[in-house]
Amino acid sequence: MNDQMDNNRFFLQIHPDDNVLVALRDLPPGTEVDFRGERFSVVDGVKAKHKFTIGPLAAGADVRMYGVLVGKTNTALERGQTLTTQNIHHAAGTFELGERRTDWQRPDVSMFDGETFLGYHRSNGTVGTANYWLVIPLVFCENRNVLVMKRALEDQLGYGKRSRDYRPEVEQLIGLYQSGVAVEDILNADIATDREQGAGKRLFEHVDGVKFLNHEMGCGGTRIDSDALCGLLAGYITHPNVAGATVLSLGCQHAQASILRDEIAKRDPHFDRPLYIFEQQLVGTETELLQQALKHTFAGLMQANGQRRQPAPLSKLCIGLECGGSDGFSGISANPALGYVSDMLVAMGGSVILSEFPELCGVEQELSDRCVDEETALRFMELMRTYNARAEADGSGFYANPSPGNIRDGLITDAIKSAGAAKKGGTSPVTAVVDYPGVANKPGLNLLCTPGNDVESTTAEVAGGANVVLFTTGLGTPTGNPIAPVVKLATNTKLYERMPDIIDINCGTIIEGEETIEQVAHTILRYVIDVASGKVQPKAVQLGQDDFIPWRRGVSL
């Protein structure tokens, strides 16, 4: 990042080639800017996180941020004028097969020499940061039976989450209603209580939980989607954070148990963890199905409880890089801090996964040039072009990715959003490009084709092998995952202070000049080591935020 800031730190030029500045705080109309010795005034006021022009721009002129094309002007803009969705539109540079540019600045990781985390070692060489049992429906018809098993097992085994109990608030509302109060009295009533529902003692001390997945797939859609679902579920069953699994199948659906077994074998040819698959149409009654499933699950938990955490090198970490509810500070605080963490982990032999392909629009040339060989680069370009073409064929395109919240907080084109989102991937070479729902845990930086939807993408990253997910957010989102800890990082201090129940680490100190990107990155990696060792639970784990959404291979941006 370019360090062109004034003494009050109220604007930033991200890259020397950029022709716009980022407002670091609200700038009223007429605010005087001293940029490289030249003074000019902000025309119509700029909200924090938004951008304004360094010089006048003609209609149709390029708008550049992060050193790349991020838009074009619709009309002529004055010097100091705010960029909006009315005066610029999305534009991104073209890309083609170029020279390999795999040189990178390895960060100093000497302070982590000899560092380990305490994880669960699996026979295939992977190491888990947790030890879960999974209960999975192979088709949506079995969702109810999975939920019946959840009600039977979760609290009884001590895995019910400590959570706020809102029943007392409802009881107060009932009492007020029965007393004859008006609607206005209900809305103005103070019903605050301070009551939490406690978690019981675990029966199986060395099993972190039983996770019950639900989904709306497995039949009725395309065979491509049902096959992909089997691949995704196989990624979860073979995941290093999973000790074993119980799978409920109806029997007649597209997503057959045989396909699931084949997908498991692709990922782990010598898979040796407990796996119990029950087909309701073969077993018979619901009672018989659930009794068998409960007995086998309990027996599997007894085996899983024999696992113990053992030291593992940091090279056994596979970190998923994710963002959701992004804002105009994401690309200059939390995302580059994650990029530095990525480079540190790669330098130590670890793996990182960068996904959300609609949010890599405009940086394709840089990423393809960083691929270790031409075959990998061509694969990435093919996936990007095919994905965008499918979206455009359905009346959309990558340009439609930014949400109303993104736009409100300064990400007004997909290329602006993408250029900042790509910073999560650091600067190391791209060692692998993987299509959904494949495994993406090769040492180095892996690119995994997923939607920009943060839950669909996180779901896929974990299936790809991520045993920890680092998730940046500028607006605030509670996203978690059933089996991999999701660490939430705020891009700005206001969010960190406003939503402390879902945010783990504040990266807003970078914006305020209190810490450098490198210092925050070191804090993040230290926290990851503690999370991976089971010493600390991120907020998403504490809340039981077990989000799981498979990607239907249609258009999802």
Side-chain angles (χ1 to χ4, degrees):
M1 250 189 302
N2 187 28
D3 290 327
Q4 179 62 44
M5 299 186 186
D6 80 334
N7 292 332
N8 295 317
R9 301 184 65 86
F10 68 78
F11 67 83
L12 169 69
Q13 184 187 39
I14 298 172
H15 188 279
D17 294 339
D18 293 354
N19 55 7
V20 297
L21 302 175
V22 182
L24 301 182
R25 60 175 172 81
D26 291 346
L27 306 181
T31 299
E32 190 172 82
V33 175
D34 185 346
F35 179 72
R36 294 181 178 173
E38 295 188 26
R39 293 180 178 273
F40 63 93
S41 297
V42 170
V43 176
D44 40 7
V46 189
K47 290 184 178 180
K49 309 178 186 179
H50 285 260
K51 291 78 184 168
F52 59 100
T53 57
I54 294 173
L57 296 177
D62 290 352
V63 178
R64 301 187 71 83
M65 282 184 66
Y66 301 93
V68 299
L69 177 67
V70 297
K72 285 185 177 290
T73 57
N74 297 327
T75 60
L77 300 182
E78 300 177 52
R79 186 180 217 182
Q81 189 164 351
T82 306
L83 302 188
T84 69
T85 53
Q86 285 73 46
N87 60 31
I88 76 165
H89 62 271
H90 167 81
T94 59
F95 55 96
E96 59 186 14
L97 186 64
E99 296 180 3
R100 301 302 91 221
R101 300 182 184 275
T102 56
D103 290 338
W104 63 297
Q105 196 71 34
R106 289 174 177 267
D108 179 9
V109 293
S110 58
M111 69 290 294
F112 292 97
D113 284 350
E115 287 268 6
T116 61
F117 70 97
L118 296 174
Y120 293 95
H121 292 247
R122 307 302 180 187
S123 62
N124 63 358
T126 59
V127 179
T129 60
N131 195 38
Y132 288 110
W133 188 273
L134 274 181
V135 180
I136 301 174
L138 200 47
V139 61
F140 58 82
C141 310
E142 293 298 324
N143 281 348
R144 175 186 170 276
N145 287 333
V146 168
L147 293 176
V148 171
M149 290 186 66
K150 180 177 182 178
R151 288 194 295 269
L153 290 168
E154 198 167 58
D155 288 337
Q156 290 291 95
L157 299 181
Y159 294 120
K161 287 291 180 183
R162 177 175 294 277
S163 60
R164 178 70 181 269
D165 183 0
Y166 289 96
R167 285 176 296 181
E169 281 92 332
V170 176
E171 290 169 3
Q172 290 183 59
L173 293 172
I174 291 171
L176 289 169
Y177 169 73
Q178 291 176 335
S179 69
V181 302
V183 169
E184 186 176 347
D185 297 319
I186 291 286
L187 295 176
N188 292 327
D190 181 4
I191 60 172
T193 65
D194 195 23
R195 180 170 151 190
E196 279 194 345
Q197 182 177 354
K201 181 177 172 54
R202 288 184 193 172
L203 179 63
F204 299 109
E205 182 181 354
H206 300 288
V207 179
D208 292 303
V210 183
K211 295 297 183 177
F212 304 85
L213 307 187
N214 261 200
H215 59 81
E216 303 302 322
M217 296 179 66
C219 200
T222 67
R223 295 298 177 96
I224 292 174
D225 279 342
S226 59
D227 288 350
L229 174 68
C230 288
L232 183 81
L233 297 179
Y236 274 69
I237 291 169
T238 59
H239 194 279
N241 289 7
V242 172
T246 302
V247 179
L248 300 187
S249 169
L250 181 60
C252 58
Q253 73 276 352
H254 288 337
Q256 286 288 296
S258 59
I259 302 174
L260 176 66
R261 289 191 179 95
D262 288 344
E263 292 292 336
I264 290 172
K266 289 179 187 176
R267 288 157 176 78
D268 188 352
H270 306 292
F271 182 74
D272 59 358
R273 284 170 253 173
L275 174 63
Y276 308 120
I277 301 176
F278 299 96
E279 291 203 352
Q280 188 170 4
Q281 290 170 344
L282 291 179
V283 173
T285 66
E286 173 198 300
T287 299
E288 182 64 22
L289 173 76
L290 292 176
Q291 286 180 350
Q292 286 192 33
L294 287 169
K295 286 189 293 184
H296 282 79
T297 299
F298 201 91
L301 287 166
M302 292 169 64
Q303 298 174 65
N305 199 47
Q307 299 284 330
R308 297 293 184 273
R309 290 184 181 270
Q310 300 292 335
L314 300 187
S315 60
K316 292 296 183 179
L317 289 173
C318 179
I319 293 183
L321 308 168
E322 190 63 42
C323 56
S326 299
D327 71 349
F329 286 164
S330 294
I332 58 177
S333 63
N335 288 352
L338 253 60
Y340 200 94
V341 172
S342 300
D343 284 349
M344 285 196 292
L345 193 62
V346 170
M348 291 185 284
S351 309
V352 292
I353 304 173
L354 180 64
S355 57
E356 300 177 291
F357 273 29
E359 296 175 14
L360 300 179
C361 177
V363 292
E364 296 98 335
Q365 190 66 60
E366 178 204 340
L367 287 172
S368 62
D369 289 350
R370 283 167 56 188
C371 290
V372 292
D373 54 43
E374 290 189 355
E375 181 181 358
T376 304
L378 289 169
R379 178 65 168 151
F380 172 61
M381 292 189 290
E382 176 197 8
L383 286 171
M384 288 294 289
R385 287 180 174 132
T386 301
Y387 195 162
N388 189 48
R390 286 177 178 171
E392 289 182 342
D394 280 4
S396 186
F398 286 170
Y399 65 86
N401 173 270
S403 70
N406 295 149
I407 294 168
R408 185 181 64 242
D409 273 50
L411 302 178
I412 60 175
T413 73
D414 185 53
I416 291 177
K417 182 177 180 180
S418 295
K423 294 299 178 184
K424 301 191 301 291
T427 62
S428 69
V430 175
T431 56
V433 173
V434 179
D435 196 8
Y436 176 89
V439 177
N441 61 0
K442 189 173 183 178
L445 173 60
N446 298 260
L447 302 182
L448 175 63
C449 183
T450 75
N453 178 300
D454 51 292
V455 176
E456 289 176 329
S457 181
T458 300
T459 298
E461 285 188 342
V462 175
N467 51 17
V468 176
V469 176
L470 296 178
F471 190 119
T472 69
T473 182
L475 306 177
T477 173
T479 301
N481 183 264
I483 63 170
V486 177
V487 178
K488 216 65 60 59
L489 303 103
T491 70
N492 62 88
T493 300
K494 286 184 179 179
L495 171 63
Y496 180 73
E497 293 174 345
R498 187 172 68 250
M499 303 181 79
D501 56 327
I502 66 170
I503 302 294
D504 300 294
I505 295 174
N506 180 26
C507 299
T509 52
I510 296 170
I511 301 294
E512 293 147 8
E514 296 177 5
E515 291 184 287
T516 65
I517 288 171
E518 181 179 349
Q519 287 171 330
V520 172
H522 282 210
T523 298
I524 295 169
L525 186 53
R526 289 288 178 194
Y527 188 82
V528 166
I529 293 170
D530 286 344
V531 168
S533 299
K535 297 177 181 178
V536 176
Q537 281 193 341
K539 302 294 176 59
V541 176
Q542 295 176 32
L543 293 169
Q545 189 78 34
D546 293 341
D547 299 310
F548 178 82
I549 303 180
W551 180 22
R552 292 183 187 272
R553 201 54 189 265
V555 175
S556 177
L557 297 176

